[in-house]
Amino acid sequence: MKKLFLLFLALPLLVPVFAQIRGKNIEVMITPDRKDWTYRKGETATFNVSILKSGTLLDDAVVDYEAGPEMYPEIKKQAVRLNDGRLTLKGQMKKAGFYRVKVTAHVGGNDYEGICAVAFSPEELQPSATVPGDFDSFWQNTMAGARAIDLDPTCELLPERCTKEVNVYHVSFQNIRLGSRTYGILCIPVKEGKYPALLRVPGAGVRPYQGDVFTASKGAITLEIGIHGVPVVLQQGIYDRLANGALWCYWNNNTDSRDNNYYRRVIVGAVRAIDYIASLPQWNGTSLGVTGSSQGGFLALACAGLDKRVTFYGAVHAALCDHTASLKKTACGWPHYFYGQENPDRRKVETSRYYDGVNFARRITCPGWFSFGYNDDVVPPTTTYATYNIVSAPKTLSVYPQTGHYWYQEQWDEWEDWLLKQMNIYKR
């Protein structure tokens, strides 16, 4: 009892050890005058800017701001003093698109940023990307060549990750050529049976993966893959060294070559992951989805466009869409290959068309779920909305305007619920 009493007394002293930094005391809040953040062409949007300290207006704040079509601001002002911490701005667009306001407050030697983008007739947006005449034959030949190589799968149980409901494995299989492998984390329900499957494809970066145990526990096979041809269960430091070494800015590798572009192997690996899932005796043979965000959103579009075994997909703020939009002074998708270039390399422009999410989206025939935010300054909503518009198959759009290149908990929950319903699985 004495030990328990002393532990009780010590708890208040232990709490600070686990405290975390959360948020900032200075905030730049920008809100539009419409709840849905959406206007018609020719209408005027009003933006209310507030510089807050401890939740109250900060007097004599000094700000810089810019406003205009996203990535192409038309108005730029510096060192504007706000006597009462507030500023009102207005914006208008004559054509479909997104108008963005960005405000930077300078307080105490630090900079604090806020952005707000609103839509003008977004349902009218159309991508600039054109389809190469041999797009389909190029990808058909690429996949045929890859499939001439045996998958040669490996599968290693990870006991420390298994649960009473799910077995977890580190797996690999051959990709585009002999010896080139894709690695991932496979989760299979322990209970014998036939199950739907979900492939999770990754956002940009170099990292290990844990696998989707949660969805598997509901009654599905899940496979989460990496794209770089290295095991996905190594120590973080190894990935950090790769990210700053051999894989530094990998998305820029061979962008002038259709056959040697970095994403050729990446896309093939994602589709071969479908081959691997289809080879599993536990798959039910009828339900197979693919989902991801950012780079993973692009890969979801590519898989759904290339492989008709995909029966549903979820694409969240999909990157690598509408690369050539910036050639028309319109916001382009990450990684913004031609942004700010007056005379881009024509070989790179032509190559980009084979690796544009828009051209895969045009070929999709299964149902899809799209979600993104208007405040995304990495993957502009101009590109994600235009890509959504070009899809002719059944589709669902769920916009969370205030989000940037991230998602809210409610958005994640809606995403997961939609995926489960496509597999005829429901939360329990």
Side-chain angles (χ1 to χ4, degrees):
M1 289 295 294
K2 183 178 180 181
K3 289 181 179 179
L4 288 173
F5 178 72
L6 291 175
L7 178 60
F8 178 79
L9 291 178
L11 282 176
L13 301 177
L14 295 174
V15 171
V17 175
F18 300 102
Q20 297 178 348
I21 295 173
R22 182 177 179 180
K24 294 181 179 179
N25 194 37
I26 306 296
E27 296 180 90
V28 180
M29 300 292 294
I30 312 174
T31 56
D33 62 338
R34 286 203 181 159
K35 291 182 179 181
D36 64 357
W37 298 44
T38 303
Y39 304 78
R40 304 304 306 165
K41 293 180 299 184
E43 293 182 334
T44 298
T46 300
F47 300 85
N48 298 303
V49 182
S50 301
I51 313 301
L52 305 175
K53 180 178 181 180
S54 300
T56 61
L57 291 168
L58 177 64
D59 295 336
D60 295 322
V62 177
V63 304
D64 303 334
Y65 69 83
E66 60 182 44
E70 59 174 347
M71 297 182 73
Y72 293 93
E74 300 167 335
I75 301 169
K76 294 185 179 183
K77 300 288 185 180
Q78 292 185 321
V80 178
R81 185 172 295 278
L82 310 182
N83 294 330
D84 61 354
R86 293 182 292 188
L87 175 69
T88 299
L89 300 171
K90 295 183 182 295
Q92 187 183 79
M93 293 187 72
K94 300 294 186 183
K95 63 178 184 178
F98 283 81
Y99 190 96
R100 172 170 289 162
V101 170
K102 176 181 175 181
V103 178
T104 304
H106 309 291
V107 183
N110 296 312
D111 293 340
Y112 301 88
E113 183 181 293
I115 63 173
C116 180
V118 299
F120 285 86
S121 302
E123 72 284 352
E124 297 181 13
L125 284 168
Q126 291 293 302
S128 68
T130 58
V131 185
D134 62 347
F135 182 90
D136 292 316
S137 61
F138 169 72
W139 283 109
Q140 288 167 2
N141 293 336
T142 294
M143 290 311 307
R147 285 173 172 145
I149 302 167
D150 187 77
L151 276 173
D152 186 29
T154 67
C155 185
E156 176 189 1
L157 183 69
L158 301 174
E160 69 281 4
R161 298 194 189 185
C162 295
T163 70
K164 65 179 182 179
E165 296 176 318
V166 178
N167 286 325
V168 182
Y169 305 87
H170 185 225
V171 301
S172 77
F173 44 86
Q174 293 199 113
N175 186 320
I176 197 168
R177 59 182 177 276
L178 190 66
S180 172
R181 303 190 75 84
T182 292
Y183 294 82
I185 302 296
L186 175 69
C187 299
I188 300 180
V190 171
K191 184 179 179 181
E192 290 188 9
K194 297 287 187 178
Y195 296 97
L198 179 66
L199 172 63
R200 288 194 176 273
V201 280
V206 188
R207 64 181 76 84
Y209 294 95
Q210 296 301 311
D212 184 1
V213 177
F214 172 80
T215 303
S217 72
K218 303 303 177 186
I221 297 166
T222 65
L223 174 60
E224 182 177 34
I225 62 169
I227 64 168
H228 300 299
V230 295
V232 296
V233 291
L234 305 176
Q235 295 180 350
Q236 182 62 50
I238 295 174
Y239 302 104
D240 293 341
R241 289 190 288 275
L242 285 170
N244 289 291
L247 295 176
W248 174 253
C249 291
Y250 62 84
W251 47 83
N252 288 324
N253 288 355
N254 297 320
T255 54
D256 60 350
S257 171
R258 181 190 68 173
D259 296 326
N260 297 313
N261 188 286
Y262 192 87
Y263 279 105
R264 182 167 180 254
R265 180 190 176 281
V266 172
I267 293 170
V268 170
V271 177
R272 297 220 78 187
I274 297 171
D275 293 344
Y276 176 75
I277 291 172
S279 74
L280 297 173
Q282 297 91 341
W283 181 49
N284 66 14
T286 59
S287 180
L288 196 160
V290 58
T291 194
S293 66
S294 195
Q295 174 188 265
F298 158 73
L299 290 173
L301 296 175
C303 287
L306 290 176
D307 197 319
K308 299 308 178 186
R309 290 173 297 181
V310 174
T311 57
F312 64 94
Y313 66 99
V316 177
H317 45 245
L320 292 118
C321 290
D322 213 10
H323 298 304
T324 54
S326 58
L327 303 182
K328 298 183 178 181
K329 302 299 182 183
T330 300
C332 57
W334 181 90
H336 317 301
Y337 284 131
F338 311 116
Y339 181 58
Q341 297 183 28
E342 294 296 329
N343 296 294
D345 186 328
R346 299 310 303 177
R347 294 174 301 173
K348 293 184 177 182
V349 172
E350 292 306 314
T351 297
S352 76
R353 304 186 198 280
Y354 293 90
Y355 299 93
D356 196 311
V358 168
N359 289 334
F360 293 104
R362 296 179 197 272
R363 286 154 173 74
I364 293 175
T365 57
C366 62
W369 187 82
F370 289 76
S371 189
F372 48 83
Y374 286 1
N375 284 347
D376 195 332
D377 57 358
V378 176
V379 174
T382 296
T383 65
T384 46
Y385 219 124
T387 303
Y388 168 81
N389 287 342
I390 207 70
V391 174
S392 59
K395 56 190 177 182
T396 299
L397 176 62
S398 183
V399 173
Y400 285 73
Q402 196 173 19
T403 59
H405 204 59
Y406 55 87
W407 51 76
Y408 288 145
Q409 182 64 54
E410 296 89 343
Q411 190 175 8
W412 171 270
D413 292 342
E414 183 183 348
W415 182 8
E416 181 68 18
D417 287 348
W418 188 87
L419 296 171
L420 292 175
K421 288 177 182 177
Q422 300 310 301
M423 296 184 283
N424 290 317
I425 299 173
Y426 300 91
K427 285 185 177 180
R428 59 181 187 273

